[in-house]
Amino acid sequence: MENMDIELFDYDLPKELIAQTPLEKRDTSRLMVLNKNTGEVTHKHFYDIIDYLKPGDVLVRNNTKVIPARLFGTKEETHAHVEVLLLKNVHDDVWECLCGNARKIKEGTIITFGDGRLKAKCLEVREEGIRVLEMIYDGIFYEILDQLGIMPLPPYIKEKLDDPDRYNTVYAKVEGSAAAPTAGLHFTPELFAKIREKGVEVEDVTLHVGLGTFRPVKVNNVLEHHMHSEYYEISEDVAERLNKAKAEGRRIIAIGTTSCRTLEANMSKYGKFTATHENTNIFIYPGYTYKAIDCLITNFHLPKSTLIMLVSALAGREHILNAYKIAVQEKYRFFSFGDAMFITNETEL
């Protein structure tokens, strides 16, 4: 396919349906169940997800932890204000960052945060406001970040978040994300206990969410969009158990688009689940054949985003746009703190 128009992935969303705050109880959000084969839609609550899972299913979740990745500092020589978003740890204390007022940050520029408790030196200038910065500090980096940084909530969330923990999943463990894998925000420890009791396996992978997941598509032809790479890890044990499940014909269900991209990138590259730690810039859009996952638990995504393309590749663009139209009519809550969708191949179990 030579051309795929971005307008194919647009839909009308009233601003008031963009969720500004998380619900008091994580698993009480609404759940739309979408049969990817028929397009049939069922309305439930998230805690009902258990009724759609069966013994032998494997749930795969992304255990990345969002760090307080947004920093406000000043240029050492001019005191000009600079905003920095940590995107990806390149190695040691070197980070790929998205910078506001980026044109003021040239190679060699020093930025100071928190009265000099943390400094950053620009090592490399990249396109699209990206800079490679070396962090200079005494002590433990993540402790300093906890004190100086703030949670990087998406720009469409205007409300202040009272409890920063609500922008992390209950199973967040490995620090390094600039955004939450939001489909996982609906789960509670109690719900996982019930899921395991039912005979469903729960496996962890790690993908640190960065620009690849949340950067908007700015080209008219989707195929020209440049995906930024993100770091992911799959352990030996997890790869082994996933291959076993696949061989036995059991369903692999990804919690969130980041778990989905991790598994699909891994399977596409190696032909089977393989232990690794590397970067992926996999871009999934209609025409892609899914190789790793059968079903997906996900949130409702932004119009014209790479994520709405990913779910369209799984369930068909018409089914997805119809489901979104219904979600708007039924006043579902959208985006990071919004409601969930389960894209499944079986609606009656």
Side-chain angles (χ1 to χ4, degrees):
M1 191 181 287
E2 301 294 301
N3 191 19
M4 190 179 287
D5 193 340
I6 186 70
E7 298 301 328
L8 291 169
F9 302 96
D10 197 12
Y11 68 92
D12 287 325
L13 179 69
K15 287 268 189 297
E16 63 271 17
L17 295 185
I18 300 172
Q20 293 297 315
T21 50
L23 295 181
E24 197 179 328
K25 289 194 69 183
R26 289 176 183 261
D27 64 356
T28 55
S29 53
R30 291 164 79 187
L31 175 70
M32 176 186 280
V33 181
L34 171 66
N35 184 313
K36 65 179 182 179
N37 303 324
T38 64
E40 179 198 350
V41 160
T42 314
H43 304 289
K44 294 286 180 178
H45 283 96
F46 196 80
Y47 47 74
D48 296 319
I49 191 84
I50 189 116
D51 299 334
Y52 294 89
L53 302 175
K54 55 186 178 183
D57 282 347
V58 184
L59 269 187
V60 182
R61 58 191 193 179
N62 179 8
N63 66 4
T64 189
K65 188 170 190 179
V66 185
I67 56 176
R70 182 163 274 137
L71 288 161
F72 294 93
T74 52
K75 274 178 70 172
E76 201 163 65
E77 59 270 39
T78 64
H79 303 296
H81 289 281
V82 178
E83 183 181 344
V84 170
L85 178 66
L86 302 176
L87 286 178
K88 188 164 73 174
N89 185 217
V90 182
H91 60 81
D92 302 328
D93 289 322
V94 176
W95 286 77
E96 187 181 270
C97 302
L98 184 62
C99 299
N101 287 341
R103 62 186 181 284
K104 294 181 181 171
I105 303 168
K106 300 181 168 57
E107 223 170 280
T109 298
I110 306 274
I111 307 162
T112 300
F113 308 97
D115 302 324
R117 293 187 52 216
L118 175 65
K119 292 186 177 186
K121 181 181 181 181
C122 179
L123 303 182
E124 190 188 328
V125 170
R126 293 189 182 167
E127 291 178 350
E128 301 182 74
I130 291 173
R131 300 291 183 266
V132 177
L133 304 179
E134 181 185 6
M135 301 297 158
I136 304 156
Y137 57 92
D138 288 323
I140 296 167
F141 179 65
Y142 284 119
E143 282 183 9
I144 294 167
L145 199 59
D146 274 341
Q147 289 155 7
L148 301 182
I150 60 171
M151 274 304 201
L153 291 180
Y156 49 76
I157 293 178
K158 312 293 182 201
E159 297 277 325
K160 190 176 178 298
L161 183 60
D162 293 334
D163 176 6
D165 282 349
R166 289 306 304 273
Y167 194 56
N168 262 314
T169 61
V170 296
Y171 49 86
K173 198 167 79 174
V174 186
E175 291 178 310
S177 267
T182 53
L185 296 177
H186 304 281
F187 286 90
T188 63
E190 297 76 18
L191 186 53
F192 275 122
K194 285 182 189 164
I195 285 168
R196 286 189 171 102
E197 269 168 38
K198 195 168 180 178
V200 175
E201 265 180 54
V202 180
E203 301 290 355
D204 285 359
V205 295
T206 305
L207 179 139
H208 291 320
V209 186
L211 268 191
T213 296
F214 62 77
R215 170 134 273 188
V217 180
K218 292 178 174 164
V219 289
N220 291 327
N221 179 7
V222 168
L223 309 190
E224 290 170 6
H225 176 66
H226 166 63
M227 276 297 260
H228 288 262
S229 73
E230 294 167 313
Y231 173 83
Y232 82 92
E233 284 178 18
I234 297 180
S235 73
E236 201 85 52
D237 293 357
V238 168
E240 206 174 293
R241 289 193 292 269
L242 288 172
N243 283 324
K244 186 172 187 289
K246 204 79 181 149
E248 291 170 1
R250 293 187 276 129
R251 294 193 305 176
I252 293 175
I253 301 166
I255 299 176
T257 56
T258 59
S259 305
C260 166
R261 287 178 59 239
T262 299
L263 298 178
E264 291 297 327
N266 189 257
M267 179 69 89
S268 294
K269 182 171 178 179
Y270 298 106
K272 63 174 185 173
F273 295 112
T274 304
T276 186
H277 48 94
E278 60 191 19
N279 291 305
T280 179
N281 62 352
I282 190 170
F283 180 17
I284 297 174
Y285 50 83
Y288 176 83
T289 303
Y290 275 84
K291 304 161 189 70
I293 73 161
D294 302 289
C295 309
L296 176 67
I297 297 167
T298 187
N299 277 20
F300 290 90
H301 305 294
L302 278 75
K304 301 182 182 180
S305 63
T306 60
L307 303 180
I308 199 166
M309 295 168 199
L310 180 151
V311 294
S312 295
L314 183 63
R317 189 180 67 90
E318 289 79 7
H319 287 342
I320 288 293
L321 290 181
N322 182 53
Y324 273 52
K325 193 175 163 188
I326 294 168
V328 169
Q329 285 165 358
E330 297 292 326
K331 297 199 165 22
Y332 273 69
R333 301 164 81 246
F334 279 68
F335 308 161
S336 297
F337 289 138
D339 295 318
M341 175 188 272
F342 182 33
I343 301 174
T344 179
N345 51 359
E346 301 175 34
T347 18
E348 295 300 323
L349 293 181

